[in-house]
Amino acid sequence: MRLYVNIDHVATVRQARGTDEPDPVRAAVLAELGGADGITVHLREDRRHIQDRDVRLLMETARTVVNLELAAASDVLALAEEWRPHQATLVPERREEVTTEGGLGLEGDEARRWLSAAVRRLRDAGIRTSLFIDPDPDAVRASRDLGADAVELHTGEYANTRGEERRGQLARLARAAALGRALGLGVHAGHGLTYENVTPLAAVPEIEELNIGHSIVSRAVFVGLERAVADMARILRHARR
């Protein structure tokens, strides 16, 4: 199980005042010291938090790897080809949303053309590709057909439910993960995961990578980022015992 730490919300605090601190690149250093296996950033078309400068510096300084989240139909695609991060995760992007609220829409020829072209460009640049999708069998199969190397399963519905409904969402995620593995895809997951809800998901054997940001940054306000990452990494290790 790999822990990729999303540092977008460090940049959100910086952008709220339009200053140069806190610096997400410095946050990445502390996350790596805490045990992160990779750093995730979402360079949005509207540049609401992470900036081009942040990604350029991360590419030069990260000791682990960089997972760049981006929309397929944006100027960021050309930047990804130039920067060549270890991994690019294609995500849906809407200006009115606070954060990404669902998986990519894979229905319709136009959407698939956009995604197929983006995956092809990224792979031609030597970048590992992942698609952020809802945990549905059709979406997993479509991701394989589009040529992606991996899928990231959207865990928002799991995170936002309780009791029997959450157990149902966990089973849904486990089925999608098993299908993805059977089809030869790497299987990642993320969105809304916290210290309280991550253990059952981390125990799913087919999931090889979790992307977690908001909960870690929130905890870091009280205990510091290095410890917050170390605490999450410890939970993930124990989940597989």
Side-chain angles (χ1 to χ4, degrees):
M1 171 66 70
R2 299 185 299 271
L3 171 60
Y4 280 31
V5 176
N6 187 314
I7 56 172
D8 289 356
H9 289 293
V10 177
T12 297
V13 176
R14 177 191 61 190
Q15 298 307 114
R17 293 293 297 269
T19 66
D20 59 359
E21 61 180 12
D23 187 347
V25 179
R26 292 187 179 186
V29 173
L30 293 173
E32 290 178 329
L33 289 173
D37 300 296
I39 303 298
T40 293
V41 288
H42 183 178
L43 184 60
R44 297 182 72 106
E45 191 175 20
D46 62 9
R47 306 304 199 267
R48 68 175 61 170
H49 40 56
I50 292 295
Q51 305 296 304
D52 297 39
R53 165 265 184 200
D54 301 327
V55 185
R56 283 196 297 268
L57 286 178
L58 278 172
M59 291 300 301
E60 295 173 1
T61 60
R63 300 294 296 272
T64 55
V65 296
V66 175
N67 171 37
L68 177 62
E69 296 181 340
L70 70 156
S74 77
D75 65 307
V76 183
L77 189 59
L79 292 173
E81 291 174 299
E82 175 188 344
W83 293 330
R84 298 193 178 189
H86 167 72
Q87 180 171 281
T89 301
L90 294 169
V91 301
E93 199 170 290
R94 293 181 294 275
R95 292 292 180 93
E96 65 273 14
E97 67 189 1
V98 175
T99 185
T100 305
E101 296 296 347
L104 287 161
L106 302 180
E107 305 82 13
D109 292 339
E110 184 177 1
R112 294 200 182 198
R113 276 196 300 271
W114 274 108
L115 288 168
S116 179
V119 168
R120 186 165 55 252
R121 287 176 61 178
L122 292 166
R123 295 192 71 176
D124 287 348
I127 302 167
R128 186 172 190 262
T129 60
S130 177
L131 301 184
F132 186 75
I133 63 171
D134 292 321
D136 296 320
D138 288 346
V140 176
R141 294 189 186 96
S143 300
R144 187 272 313 271
D145 295 342
L146 288 167
D149 298 302
V151 292
E152 180 177 350
L153 303 177
H154 177 240
T155 56
E157 291 180 84
Y158 165 79
N160 293 330
T161 54
R162 297 291 184 273
E164 192 61 34
E165 190 174 0
R166 175 174 287 182
R167 285 188 285 274
Q169 290 296 333
L170 179 63
R172 180 186 176 203
L173 286 159
R175 289 192 297 270
L179 176 60
R181 174 69 66 82
L183 294 176
L185 295 167
V187 181
H188 316 153
H191 193 82
L193 298 177
T194 70
Y195 295 83
E196 288 72 33
N197 67 24
V198 73
T199 296
L201 191 69
V204 176
E206 291 84 3
I207 296 177
E208 62 189 47
E209 176 185 309
L210 292 179
N211 283 275
I212 305 175
H214 186 267
S215 186
I216 290 175
V217 173
S218 298
R219 185 175 178 84
V221 171
F222 301 102
V223 303
L225 189 55
E226 186 176 347
R227 178 178 162 187
V229 173
D231 289 346
M232 181 63 77
R234 189 177 306 112
I235 291 172
L236 300 192
R237 287 196 302 271
H238 284 296
R240 291 289 175 92
R241 290 185 176 178

